[in-house]
């Protein structure tokens, strides 16, 4: 029996409609993941963890392949220096490996920033907590499940 991914359990407990998609083989690109899911790359949400200070982190959700504007993010957070978290930090802070990170069920509470690109799609996919598996859901349901988050334009032009 295939075990349900942790994010699916969390969303089910919150009565958030979603589906689980399992890739049949390893995924090597955003484009491949999108094609296999019947989506465009702009429908895939990446949950990126940034370190502000030694033990202070923030997660930014961004849809598609675009890059985060470091300058905009620093200004939003009032920080002069930020870095992307290491794979070890990602696992320790979120409980999930890179490629499976989601903004739910985290090991510690984190501020979550949502790039406007996430709100431009009707349907999205996010990490499930398990590599090779994704959660597909409506954008409105994702935002409802997230609750009070900051939405802004964090992508580089």
């Amino acid at each position: 029996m295939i075990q349900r991914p942790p994010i699916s359990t969390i969303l089910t407990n919150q009565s958030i409609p979603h589906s689980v998609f399992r890739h049949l083989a390893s995924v090597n690109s955003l484009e491949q993941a999108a094609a296999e899911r019947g989506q465009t790359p702009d429908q895939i949400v990446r949950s990126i963890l940034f370190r502000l200070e030694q033990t202070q982190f923030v997660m930014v959700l961004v849809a598609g392949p675009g890059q985060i504007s470091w300058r905009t993010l620093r200004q939003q957070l009032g920080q002069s220096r930020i870095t992307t978290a290491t794979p070890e930090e990602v696992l320790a802070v979120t409980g999930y490996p890179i490629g499976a990170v989601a903004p739910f069920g985290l090991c510690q509470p984190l501020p979550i920033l949502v790039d406007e690109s996430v709100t431009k799609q009707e349907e999205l996919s996010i990490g499930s907590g398990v590599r090779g598996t994704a959660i597909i859901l409506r954008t409105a349901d994702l935002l409802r499940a997230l609750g009070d988050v900051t939405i802004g334009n964090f992508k580089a032009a």
Side-chain angles (χ1 to χ4, degrees):
M1 181 176 178
I2 297 175
Q3 189 175 1
R4 186 189 323 194
I7 303 308
S8 179
T9 300
I10 291 166
L11 293 175
T12 298
N13 291 341
Q14 292 184 24
S15 300
I16 301 293
H18 66 281
S19 61
V20 175
F21 182 90
R22 288 181 172 81
H23 292 276
L24 299 177
S26 63
V27 176
N28 299 311
S29 71
L30 191 69
E31 293 75 19
Q32 176 193 354
E36 290 179 9
R37 296 174 195 171
Q39 296 182 319
T40 66
D42 287 337
Q43 289 177 282
I44 295 183
V45 175
R46 296 176 294 138
S47 301
I48 305 171
L49 189 67
F50 292 90
R51 181 167 34 89
L52 309 178
E53 296 174 12
Q54 189 151 355
T55 59
Q56 189 178 10
F57 295 86
V58 65
M59 182 178 286
V60 179
L61 306 185
V62 61
Q67 298 299 309
I68 299 290
S69 166
W70 290 83
R71 181 174 184 231
T72 301
L73 190 56
R74 284 193 307 268
Q75 288 175 341
Q76 172 71 32
L77 299 169
Q79 299 284 318
S80 60
R81 187 174 191 286
I82 57 174
T83 59
T84 51
T86 66
E88 296 78 19
E89 288 170 328
V90 170
L91 185 59
V93 172
T94 68
Y96 309 120
I98 288 180
V101 177
F104 305 105
L106 303 170
C107 292
Q108 66 185 56
L110 291 176
I112 296 176
L113 305 178
V114 178
D115 184 72
E116 292 171 348
S117 60
V118 172
T119 66
K120 297 190 185 320
Q121 303 296 325
E122 189 171 319
E123 178 190 86
L124 300 164
S125 58
I126 63 172
S128 70
V130 177
R131 287 188 59 83
T133 305
I135 301 294
I136 298 175
L137 72 170
R138 290 179 45 243
T139 303
D141 291 327
L142 171 64
L143 294 174
R144 185 165 51 96
L146 287 170
D148 187 22
V149 294
T150 300
I151 298 175
N153 183 6
F154 305 110
K155 264 190 170 179

